[in-house]
Amino acid sequence: QVQLVESGGGLVQAGGSLRLSCAASGNIFIVNDMAWYRQAPGKQRELVAVISSGGRTNYADSVKGRFTISRDNANNRVYLQMNSLKPEDTAVYYCNADLAQRSVPYSTRGYWGQGTQVTVSS
């Protein structure tokens, strides 16, 4: 089995910073892309940032220049450094990993964490 566990959410004032962490654990053979998504109340889940196993990154326009995604391949972890936070960044943030389990090493699929709440007050 595979589990993704996020941490680091919380309440912060506008202009502040938070760092989210996500650890993938279990019977993992390989991890490809890792990403952060978010879902605000009444809105669809949206991609915030994605990072490949080689370190290539891509960001939503709304967070470019403020958020930085990084990863630790040795420990199957992904991070999201969020600076200059705005009230519109308030959402539940979800970690996603495209990976294969050892039991099925050539079949990858996406796994989700349980989400962590980020609230930015004005």
Side-chain angles (χ1 to χ4, degrees):
Q1 285 195 349
V2 171
Q3 192 174 20
L4 271 63
V5 178
E6 301 106 331
S7 61
L11 173 64
V12 64
Q13 288 189 331
S17 298
L18 282 175
R19 187 180 191 235
L20 305 183
S21 299
C22 172
S25 62
N27 194 27
I28 296 172
F29 176 70
I30 190 170
V31 182
N32 296 322
D33 289 356
M34 301 187 82
W36 288 96
Y37 287 74
R38 67 185 180 186
Q39 188 167 19
K43 294 188 176 181
Q44 288 191 332
R45 191 171 297 189
E46 63 174 357
L47 177 65
V48 175
V50 59
I51 185 167
S52 71
S53 57
R56 186 176 64 251
T57 59
N58 204 6
Y59 297 91
D61 287 343
S62 58
V63 306
K64 281 180 181 176
R66 300 188 298 122
F67 291 11
T68 302
I69 189 171
S70 60
R71 65 188 286 173
D72 174 0
N73 287 335
N75 294 296
N76 294 328
R77 288 177 176 267
V78 63
Y79 306 96
L80 187 68
Q81 178 66 43
M82 305 185 293
N83 298 329
S84 303
L85 282 160
K86 305 175 181 180
E88 50 264 43
D89 295 316
T90 295
V92 177
Y93 283 70
Y94 296 91
C95 173
N96 177 275
D98 179 60
L99 61 84
Q101 295 191 59
R102 287 197 178 94
S103 57
V104 194
Y106 299 108
S107 178
T108 63
R109 72 170 182 91
Y111 290 81
W112 293 93
Q114 81 287 352
T116 185
Q117 177 70 47
V118 172
T119 303
V120 185
S121 63
S122 57

